[in-house]
Amino acid sequence: MAPVAVLTRASLDLRGVRPSEAELEAVEADPAALDGILDGMVADERFFARLVPLYQEIYLTWTEAMPLRPDNLGLEDPKFFYWQAGQEPLEILAEVAREDLPWTEVVEADWTMSNEDLAAFFPVEWPEGQTGWHKTRYTDGRPAAGVVSTNGLWWRYTTTDSNANRRRANALSRITVCQDILDRAIGFDSSVNLLDEAAIEDALHNNPSCENCHVSLDPIAANLFGFYWSNFTSPTQGMVYHPGQERAWEDMLGTPPGWYGTPTDGLVNLGATIAADPRFATCAVEQAFELMLRRETTVSDADDLVELRDTFLANDMSIRSLFRAVVDLPVYRAADLDSERGVPVKMATPDVLGTAMEDLTGYSWDREDHPVLLTDRLGVRGLGGGVDGMQVKRAATEPGATVLLVQKALATEAAAWAVEQEQAMSADDRRLFTEIDFTETADDRAVRLQLAALHRRVLGETVDPDGAEVDADLELWRGLAAIEPDVPSVWRDVLAAFLRDPDFLLY
């Protein structure tokens, strides 16, 4: 990849926006300037915000489909409240990155994140009048364990009497050490009577077919009974921690708390035990690699993963250093490797598509205060190729019909907004239309200059105002002008065409 192409890919991946004109010019003038710009990207507030939708693909908590019943909360929009609740653990990750804390803080922090909506119901410290996401602490006496102590995680991963937190245990194992126990090969013993509760309980502890999983699963589950409720559809029960339930494992599981062979004292030291597990750092590395490459790791990635882990540990497990190191890998920067290793083209996820367009046009797509590209009930996150956390658990990597329809709708709205706003601005204050005054004709030199400027700003391409690319654009301009004599409307439709270009979606 050429340095400018690396700049564009990294900017979209790390900040969700295309590089600025100043950044493009700096790298074009001196490719060595790229390293300094990349260093700045992982210290950018937009990087921290980007981690929230990025790690949704792993945590799957940012969903409106929580299995709790909202009837007794008195909320006008309970689905959106649940969506914010699921954001809680993801905001912890973002704050750890913002403060450049060791990644172990994710499971050891004695604080959480909340906003004013959650604070109205959750038992957290909250100064009157404060708004937005801020660090805070629970006040119900729950042990501190970072994301493991959050309502947002366990509202997403509920349980039942018979399941006894085992589903939660597997989710915790998958998220923190990349060990999904459901992936294990299991040979079921058909002689076990699945209608006999006593026979099932005996098999869980004594049948080798069952022990394969439950010897790991049940001790982890035993740590989580403070989040065990008598009614697993009741959000009011789920608001607070229940210390009186902590020893319910004695009756429900008959297995004391632990973590893969290491005894624990429940939630009190579970987070520290997870952080001390060597697989915790290895898992963080694999997750960052997969999120940035948009594919699963393979055996052929082993050398890269070892290098990344060494860098991660050498930098006190700074997630900033990890993502920065991924960008330096040849496999990340190469667009011409074989299909197993390289990723020649990546597709923008809905959140990236939205932030990139907002950065260019100033348009934010909201409906009834819901971010359309990040939600599903009143939004199009799933249709746009994103992860809703329940039905869709893997982001799309190739454009389908609904992805293209979402891009079209967003491009149309964003282009109309940009033209309307920039008409009232001076040329020096505009983001896009810096070469025109919205009164020109097709023969004006300014039209060619503006079309070339759109190539540069929207697609990151440098083209000759008298070249073939602008010739084609000018034909579009003239065709639109023949249909719609209003010049601003012509530029609106031309801009929409640029924003719908495959090179805007794929990078």
Side-chain angles (χ1 to χ4, degrees):
M1 262 184 172
V4 168
V6 174
L7 173 67
T8 299
R9 171 172 282 193
S11 184
L12 287 166
D13 283 341
L14 297 175
R15 302 182 303 187
V17 299
R18 290 183 168 269
S20 68
E21 179 64 25
E23 290 168 338
L24 288 169
E25 289 177 352
V27 173
E28 288 170 341
D30 179 12
L34 177 62
D35 285 339
I37 295 173
L38 295 176
D39 291 342
M41 287 183 186
V42 295
D44 192 311
E45 180 60 36
R46 291 170 294 188
F47 171 63
F48 313 139
R50 175 90 178 92
L51 293 179
V52 173
L54 202 59
Y55 276 87
Q56 156 66 357
E57 299 180 27
I58 294 168
Y59 279 67
L60 305 177
T61 57
W62 212 16
T63 177
E64 296 152 283
M66 294 280 190
L68 299 132
R69 293 176 183 165
D71 305 343
N72 51 357
L73 287 182
L75 295 168
E76 292 184 7
D77 192 349
K79 294 293 185 182
F80 193 58
F81 181 81
Y82 293 155
W83 180 82
Q84 293 181 90
Q87 193 175 346
E88 178 191 8
L90 304 175
E91 288 290 342
I92 291 177
L93 309 186
E95 187 64 20
V96 169
R98 184 177 289 110
E99 298 186 24
D100 205 19
L101 301 171
W103 199 238
T104 50
E105 190 78 357
V106 167
V107 291
E108 292 187 295
D110 65 353
W111 47 270
T112 188
M113 297 293 288
S114 185
N115 64 15
E116 66 274 18
D117 294 326
L118 297 184
F121 291 90
F122 288 1
V124 296
E125 300 169 351
W126 194 257
E128 185 177 352
Q130 185 167 270
T131 60
W133 287 96
H134 296 281
K135 286 175 70 172
T136 186
R137 287 176 171 81
Y138 280 99
T139 58
D140 58 358
R142 68 184 67 194
V147 298
V148 189
S149 294
T150 60
N151 286 351
L153 187 64
W154 303 128
W155 279 29
R156 164 61 178 85
Y157 297 102
T158 54
T159 186
T160 63
D161 288 340
S162 60
N163 182 257
N165 286 330
R166 294 183 178 102
R167 177 183 184 230
R168 289 171 159 175
N170 187 56
L172 189 59
S173 176
R174 176 184 62 79
I175 289 169
T176 61
V177 294
C178 297
Q179 297 292 307
D180 190 337
I181 296 172
L182 295 179
D183 288 340
R184 293 183 182 179
I186 301 172
F188 285 102
D189 187 345
S190 59
S191 66
V192 177
N193 183 1
L194 299 181
L195 299 179
D196 186 335
E197 186 173 344
I200 294 174
E201 188 65 25
D202 177 72
L204 293 181
H205 294 92
N206 301 303
N207 190 309
S209 297
C210 299
E211 281 186 303
N212 178 44
C213 290
H214 286 271
V215 69
S216 301
L217 201 60
D218 287 11
I220 300 174
N223 292 284
L224 305 175
F225 278 94
F227 295 103
Y228 196 81
W229 318 317
S230 61
N231 182 350
F232 292 101
T233 63
S234 169
T236 52
Q237 284 200 17
M239 297 289 185
V240 297
Y241 188 75
H242 301 276
Q245 293 278 10
E246 288 178 339
R247 298 193 65 85
W249 59 264
E250 295 174 342
D251 295 325
M252 302 291 292
L253 294 172
T255 301
W259 178 264
Y260 284 102
T262 301
T264 62
D265 297 317
L267 199 59
V268 170
N269 64 341
L270 176 61
T273 305
I274 295 172
D277 189 327
R279 296 172 300 175
F280 180 75
T282 301
C283 180
V285 168
E286 291 178 0
Q287 289 171 342
F289 182 93
E290 292 181 349
L291 291 171
M292 290 289 278
L293 271 291
R294 311 309 299 174
R295 65 167 176 80
E296 294 182 355
T297 58
T298 67
V299 174
S300 60
D301 296 316
D303 289 343
D304 284 341
L305 295 174
V306 169
E307 179 183 340
L308 289 173
R309 191 176 191 276
D310 289 344
T311 299
F312 188 44
L313 295 176
N315 286 277
D316 296 324
M317 296 182 73
S318 163
I319 201 67
R320 294 189 195 180
S321 72
L322 178 55
F323 275 83
R324 176 66 181 85
V326 173
V327 176
D328 278 342
L329 292 176
V331 69
Y332 178 85
R333 297 190 176 202
D336 57 354
L337 296 180
D338 60 82
S339 59
E340 180 185 5
R341 288 274 289 151
V343 184
V345 177
K346 296 197 288 184
M347 186 180 77
T349 50
D351 61 290
V352 171
L353 190 64
T355 51
M357 284 209 189
E358 183 176 357
D359 181 64
L360 285 170
T361 67
Y363 178 73
S364 177
W365 198 6
D366 297 306
R367 180 184 178 192
E368 297 179 19
D369 295 325
H370 291 58
V372 170
L373 293 168
L374 298 178
T375 55
D376 297 286
R377 187 175 68 88
L378 293 176
V380 295
R381 177 173 55 177
L383 294 174
V387 173
D388 70 11
M390 286 291 190
Q391 302 302 319
V392 182
K393 299 180 181 179
R394 188 182 295 270
T397 55
E398 298 179 357
T402 59
V403 171
L404 297 178
L405 286 172
V406 168
Q407 183 189 11
K408 176 183 177 181
L410 177 57
T412 301
E413 295 293 329
W417 172 269
V419 169
E420 179 181 351
Q421 297 300 309
E422 296 204 4
Q423 282 185 84
M425 299 177 183
S426 68
D428 292 339
D429 294 331
R430 296 174 188 167
R431 305 184 190 202
L432 295 168
F433 295 101
T434 55
E435 309 297 326
I436 60 169
D437 60 11
F438 294 101
T439 63
E440 44 286 320
T441 67
D443 295 327
D444 289 345
R445 180 65 180 171
V447 173
R448 283 186 172 273
L449 294 174
Q450 182 59 63
L451 291 170
L454 289 177
H455 272 279
R456 174 76 166 178
R457 190 69 187 96
V458 177
L459 303 178
E461 303 170 344
T462 302
V463 300
D464 186 344
D466 296 310
E469 297 90 345
V470 174
D471 286 344
D473 297 334
L474 190 58
E475 286 302 310
L476 172 63
W477 200 99
R478 286 170 173 158
L480 291 169
I483 299 170
E484 174 56 77
D486 178 55
V487 174
S489 297
V490 173
W491 282 116
R492 177 200 64 201
D493 294 341
V494 167
L495 176 57
F498 272 89
L499 295 173
R500 289 180 60 191
D501 194 293
D503 286 342
F504 191 82
L505 180 67
L506 306 173
Y507 61 98

